[in-house]
Amino acid sequence: MTDAQPSAAPSRQPIVFWGATGQAKVLRECVAASGYDLVALFDNNPDVPPPFTDVPLHVGRAGLVAWQRTHWGPTSFLVAIGGSLGRDRLEIQALLCAAGLIPVTAIHRTAFVAGNALIGPGSQILAQAAVCVEVCLGTACIVNTGASVDHECVLGDGVHVAPGARLAGSVAVGRHSMIGIGATVLPRVRIGENVIIGAGAVVTRNVPDNVIVTGMPAKIVKERPIQ
């Protein structure tokens, strides 16, 4: 009998996050099971405390440039910025793509994603979320913990569906909009660009661009400046 040779450890792919707060913690857990190793963090805020003791945190574009001088080879990335900052998420994603990094799609091991759903680069489908048949997500969308996007919905670039929110079938959501925690959007409703749907709202009719709506049924409470 010959001694068995130890098997080689599986190679892990390097990934960086831009954003060093709670979303980074969520994403690190999400991508670990997919074979990614978080090697660096970046954030524009010089005062943000490092969320991990084993991952260096660099500040802003200067930090990215300095880091890239000592790191070679293909590196993936995700933008760990959630909430109503969809426009910022897209701008940072474009910056990192221009720097030669590769956007990935993060899908948590407990999420459901239909086989014919289309998901844009840099999007994030988190724990126990559902993205159902013929859904189309744009670039850098977030479907957060326990959220549901039902059949044939179309989400524009930079949309965030917050934890526990529910989009019924054939809903359309414009770029940079956010569906708040626990909100419900009824079938075939159209939500404009740069909209915030408040937590727990029930949206029964179409919503124009650049507004904030709350309530049951949801009503416009104020305009939202174009950021």
Side-chain angles (χ1 to χ4, degrees), residues 14-118:
I15 192 169
V16 302
F17 297 162
W18 192 295
T21 56
Q23 190 74 4
K25 297 178 181 180
V26 171
L27 286 177
R28 189 180 194 186
E29 190 276 336
C30 179
V31 302
S34 300
Y36 289 99
D37 184 22
L38 182 62
V39 297
L41 290 163
F42 302 90
D43 200 291
N44 282 327
N45 182 358
D47 298 322
V48 67
F52 310 115
T53 59
D54 58 339
V55 181
L57 173 59
H58 308 273
V59 178
R61 297 189 184 193
L64 173 64
V65 171
W67 180 83
Q68 286 193 299
R69 291 195 187 108
T70 59
H71 291 77
W72 300 272
T75 302
S76 300
F77 78 85
L78 285 165
V79 183
I81 298 173
S84 60
L85 300 176
R87 189 183 299 272
D88 292 348
R89 190 161 60 252
L90 289 166
E91 289 177 354
I92 293 170
Q93 177 150 324
L95 167 69
L96 295 174
C97 286
L101 280 71
I102 305 163
V104 299
T105 298
I107 301 177
H108 195 274
R109 63 187 180 280
T110 65
F112 168 75
V113 178
N116 61 357
L118 300 177

Side-chain angles (χ1 to χ4, degrees), residues 84 176-180 194-198 211-214 224:
S84 60
H176 315 146
S177 291
M178 176 182 171
I179 313 299
N194 191 43
V195 168
I196 293 178
I197 306 297
V211 295
I212 299 172
V213 302
T214 63
R224 186 186 184 201

